[in-house]
Amino acid sequence: MATHGTLELFLAFGFNSVDLATYYVYESNNLTNYIYSTDSTIITNLTWFTTKSLTIFSNGNIDGTTQWVARIVEDHAANCYDPMSSNLGYAYSQQINQTIRATSTGSCTFTIVVSVQLTNGNYHSILDIINVNYKGDSNVRAIMGYQNNDSKLELFEFTEQTAMRWNKIIVYGNLVSFIIPRNGTLKVSYQSASYTPKLSPVFQEYGSGIFMSINYPDGDDVVNELGIELSLTCTMGYASYNITIIYADIPSNTSLQVSNGNIILDEFDQNVTFLSKVYYTDQYLSIQFVDSPSYIDQRFWDGFLIRYEAVHMEKPTTKSTNFVWLIILCSVIVFILMIAAIVYLIYRMKHREKYFEQLYDTLKDMHLSKDDIEALRTKSDEFLIDEKLLHIYFNNPLGQGSTSSVYKGHLEGTSPLHRVMKSIGTQCFVDCDVAVKVPGNFGQNEVQNLFQEIKAIKKIEYHNNV
Ligand SMILES: *[C@@H]1O[C@H](CO)[C@@H](O)[C@H](O)[C@H]1NC(C)=O
Ligand SMILES: *[C@@H]1O[C@H](CO)[C@@H](O)[C@H](O)[C@H]1NC(C)=O
Ligand SMILES: *[C@@H]1O[C@H](CO)[C@@H](O)[C@H](O)[C@H]1NC(C)=O
Ligand SMILES: *[C@@H]1O[C@H](CO)[C@@H](O)[C@H](O)[C@H]1NC(C)=O
Ligand SMILES: *[C@@H]1O[C@H](CO)[C@@H](O)[C@H](O)[C@H]1NC(C)=O
Ligand SMILES: *[C@@H]1O[C@H](CO)[C@@H](O)[C@H](O)[C@H]1NC(C)=O
Ligand SMILES: *[C@@H]1O[C@H](CO)[C@@H](O)[C@H](O)[C@H]1NC(C)=O
Ligand SMILES: *[C@@H]1O[C@H](CO)[C@@H](O)[C@H](O)[C@H]1NC(C)=O
């Protein structure tokens, strides 16, 4: 009974239905206002009636292979174009192609009713989503049922760009819906499928799909389904596989195994809820329940729903080798630089030592005591003459050699030597004229020569201007 809107009724006959009943449909709950009757020997696709109130009566044995689906159009098909004829699908044995558009007012729900068939002693509805194609913004969601907000019943999602990755999807369920965002247009091809316990999708660049047990999520089967398996093959080679276990009821003495064909990559032996993991394998990945004979018939089993999204990629071993080589190369360069720095430092220290040895000899000649010299060594920087205090008369060369020139200069104030020593021997180095030697270039040889020169000058006593 609909208290608002338009009530629609759909009849979906099952496969292998041996039904002796005739169905009568009345527009009231006291079997008055008869509107329709049918029996299962008439194979139709989908029939719908529109009324306010419906009662179905059967005069015979209903064997459960027939489904009646009712909806209130204004609720279920809100925001869909053409809601009265094209936004409920009926999966039968031949391929159906359907195009559904959402209006600009909101998202539109398109629901497929899947016919029932006898499988493994139970009645199941099995849908094969052959392919989807979508034009529009944001994501289309595929769900079990038609209005669920239970994330455990979310099948998969796609955008305009990723739609073509989703094909040959086997879903076990009577009602499967697509939630199409506003202004979006969905094209979907589908048909009923037979039971396929082993799925073996083969893909090139991308492989996306779901892998579920026939009983999910109802738990109306015992665990004699445990042999089912998903084996994925990437024909282009190496791929990453993002596996999301949406839910898996894993009974004791069984486990869910992820393997690459040779080695087990993962093994789950406890119930799993919402777990995403990425595996990388060469060409092949398999997911299967490992059966334990002692388990069979232990209890009802809630089954599992797993989503996978695989992408072909370059095998990272070569990349990682390159990466390793890069690291080695960097290490070698850093090592060489460190050695060079150490060598340079040692050279500098040696050089400095030599410089002090020569300075030491020079100072010894000036009759300074050992302690004084030691004090000088620690204050060696104080011997630098501030360039502001030294005036060099470059226009007045005193002499010119092959490696250096000597100019006349004037030192303003106290020379550092006298400042430090304060000795009588050095008191002449205050406000005095000096000779300034300017080397053409300056290296170790020049320094050595300079000291030799100073040594020689020392031996012949101070010249007034030196
Ligand atoms: C049967 O139900 C309809 C409304 O559902 C009502 O109008 C009618 O009077 C009922 N008939 C009898 C015999 O009760
Ligand atoms: C359902 O069957 C009728 C004829 O019985 C046919 O005209 C119609 O196109 C069919 N609908 C679908 C969706 O296959
Ligand atoms: C559905 O589309 C496929 C091509 O994608 C075509 O081969 C098939 O005939 C179409 N089926 C119907 C019922 O239009
Ligand atoms: C939907 O389409 C209509 C026109 O067709 C446009 O005016 C509107 O902006 C669109 N809305 C969105 C959300 O894209
Ligand atoms: C699911 O949606 C229904 C209405 O459609 C709402 O009443 C209910 O609270 C929602 N449940 C959750 C868990 O969001
Ligand atoms: C794997 O897929 C899930 C959803 O299906 C997503 O939330 C997650 O980010 C993906 N992980 C990676 C590494 O892509
Ligand atoms: C696993 O889940 C099932 C139902 O889905 C439940 O009966 C069982 O107790 C759970 N097992 C554990 C170990 O929680
Ligand atoms: C699991 O197996 C062991 C022996 O392999 C058995 O003793 C035990 O009863 C089994 N448990 C279940 C729940 O079947």
Side-chain angles (χ1 to χ4, degrees):
M1 170 104 80
T3 56
H4 72 280
T6 310
L7 184 65
E8 276 188 342
L9 182 71
F10 301 85
L11 169 59
F13 286 109
F15 294 129
N16 41 51
S17 142
V18 187
D19 192 354
L20 303 169
T22 301
Y23 303 97
Y24 301 90
V25 183
Y26 298 88
E27 211 179 24
S28 71
N29 54 11
N30 56 14
L31 304 187
T32 57
N33 303 341
Y34 163 85
I35 50 170
Y36 186 76
S37 72
T38 184
D39 65 64
S40 55
T41 56
I42 305 164
I43 302 296
T44 60
N45 45 23
L46 182 72
T47 317
W48 59 266
F49 311 96
T50 306
T51 181
K52 289 283 180 197
S53 177
L54 291 165
T55 301
I56 303 162
F57 171 77
S58 170
N59 68 348
N61 174 36
I62 305 171
D63 73 358
T65 60
T66 300
Q67 296 179 97
W68 295 89
V69 179
R71 68 173 181 175
I72 297 170
V73 186
E74 288 81 355
D75 293 349
H76 178 266
N79 310 310
C80 302
Y81 279 107
D82 218 2
M84 297 299 277
S85 59
S86 70
N87 87 320
L88 195 84
Y90 179 57
Y92 207 58
S93 45
Q94 90 269 27
Q95 177 176 344
I96 307 289
N97 307 324
Q98 224 159 330
T99 301
I100 310 95
R101 290 165 61 207
T103 64
S104 61
T105 51
S107 57
C108 153
T109 301
F110 168 63
T111 301
I112 299 171
V113 180
V114 190
S115 62
V116 173
Q117 56 181 298
L118 193 61
T119 300
N120 282 5
N122 275 299
Y123 292 102
H124 294 290
S125 298
I126 309 174
L127 175 67
D128 172 9
I129 300 169
I130 299 167
N131 58 54
V132 290
N133 185 298
Y134 174 63
K135 289 261 173 304
D137 297 335
S138 81
N139 297 5
V140 177
R141 292 192 302 136
I143 61 174
M144 297 180 79
Y146 69 97
Q147 63 167 17
N148 83 70
N149 45 16
D150 178 355
S151 52
K152 271 163 83 174
L153 300 178
E154 298 257 3
L155 295 170
F156 57 96
E157 268 185 76
F158 55 87
T159 63
E160 184 171 320
Q161 286 73 34
T162 60
M164 76 337 166
R165 299 179 190 176
W166 297 87
N167 51 61
K168 299 300 290 174
I169 314 286
I170 301 294
V171 181
Y172 300 108
N174 311 64
L175 297 178
V176 175
S177 301
F178 293 89
I179 316 289
I180 306 162
R182 64 173 63 190
N183 281 7
T185 301
L186 176 72
K187 274 189 198 163
V188 54
S189 296
Y190 57 91
Q191 64 190 6
S192 272
S194 50
Y195 182 51
T196 43
K198 287 193 197 303
L199 291 179
S200 310
V202 170
F203 66 93
Q204 296 188 330
E205 285 285 350
Y206 299 102
S208 298
I210 61 169
F211 174 46
M212 66 188 292
S213 63
I214 197 165
N215 61 335
Y216 184 81
D218 304 330
D220 60 355
D221 268 355
V222 289
V223 195
N224 53 10
E225 305 281 352
L226 292 185
I228 60 180
E229 181 181 351
L230 170 75
S231 52
L232 296 162
T233 304
C234 176
T235 54
M236 292 179 72
Y238 199 82
S240 72
Y241 299 80
N242 182 356
I243 305 294
T244 302
I245 301 174
I246 295 164
Y247 181 78
D249 173 4
I250 303 176
S252 54
N253 285 5
T254 66
S255 68
L256 181 70
Q257 270 185 6
V258 181
S259 89
N260 68 1
N262 296 318
I263 55 169
I264 296 167
L265 304 172
D266 238 328
E267 184 149 21
F268 302 97
D269 56 8
Q270 305 276 315
N271 291 359
V272 181
T273 311
F274 289 107
L275 179 78
S276 277
K277 282 188 91 167
V278 180
Y279 302 95
Y280 299 90
T281 82
D282 209 341
Q283 258 188 341
Y284 184 79
L285 187 89
S286 122
I287 304 177
Q288 70 181 117
F289 261 91
V290 180
D291 201 347
S292 162
S294 66
Y295 187 74
I296 303 295
D297 292 339
Q298 288 285 317
R299 69 162 165 87
F300 287 104
W301 179 51
D302 283 348
F304 64 90
L305 172 60
I306 293 171
R307 179 166 53 227
Y308 64 89
E309 291 179 49
V311 183
H312 163 66
M313 59 189 281
E314 286 307 315
K315 199 170 185 162
T317 47
T318 52
K319 259 192 188 143
S320 90
T321 325
N322 286 344
F323 192 61
V324 166
W325 277 114
L326 194 67
I327 288 178
I328 290 175
L329 188 68
C330 286
S331 310
V332 166
I333 289 174
V334 167
F335 183 73
I336 289 173
L337 286 176
M338 277 170 63
I339 295 284
I342 289 169
V343 166
Y344 176 70
L345 282 176
I346 290 173
Y347 166 80
R348 274 288 300 267
M349 276 167 61
K350 282 246 163 83
H351 184 71
R352 218 175 144 79
E353 228 158 67
K354 196 161 198 168
Y355 169 89
F356 280 114
E357 290 312 319
Q358 284 165 329
L359 186 65
Y360 177 82
D361 289 348
T362 309
L363 294 170
K364 227 165 47 190
D365 293 343
M366 290 167 66
H367 312 293
L368 294 174
S369 79
K370 246 192 156 134
D371 290 347
D372 289 340
I373 293 168
E374 205 44 51
L376 280 177
R377 184 192 286 264
T378 60
K379 297 183 190 167
S380 61
D381 282 349
E382 295 176 25
F383 285 96
L384 281 176
I385 295 174
D386 188 337
E387 59 185 294
K388 276 181 276 178
L389 301 179
L390 183 67
H391 304 281
I392 303 173
Y393 308 113
F394 285 109
N395 52 1
N396 191 0
L398 299 176
Q400 206 131 17
S402 59
T403 58
S404 60
S405 309
V406 179
Y407 298 93
K408 186 179 175 177
H410 182 79
L411 175 67
E412 232 175 71
T414 314
S415 86
L417 185 64
H418 181 60
R419 201 167 49 235
V420 174
M421 302 308 305
K422 300 263 189 296
S423 79
I424 307 206
T426 59
Q427 67 188 359
C428 59
F429 300 127
V430 178
D431 280 328
C432 51
D433 281 343
V434 292
V436 180
K437 181 162 177 167
V438 179
N441 56 47
F442 200 77
Q444 170 140 38
N445 288 341
E446 285 71 21
V447 172
Q448 264 164 16
N449 291 342
L450 177 66
F451 279 101
Q452 298 296 339
E453 216 168 302
I454 293 175
K455 224 171 180 171
I457 293 168
K458 291 290 154 253
K459 289 210 173 101
I460 55 169
E461 295 294 277
Y462 300 161
H463 183 281
N464 267 352
N465 295 332
V466 179

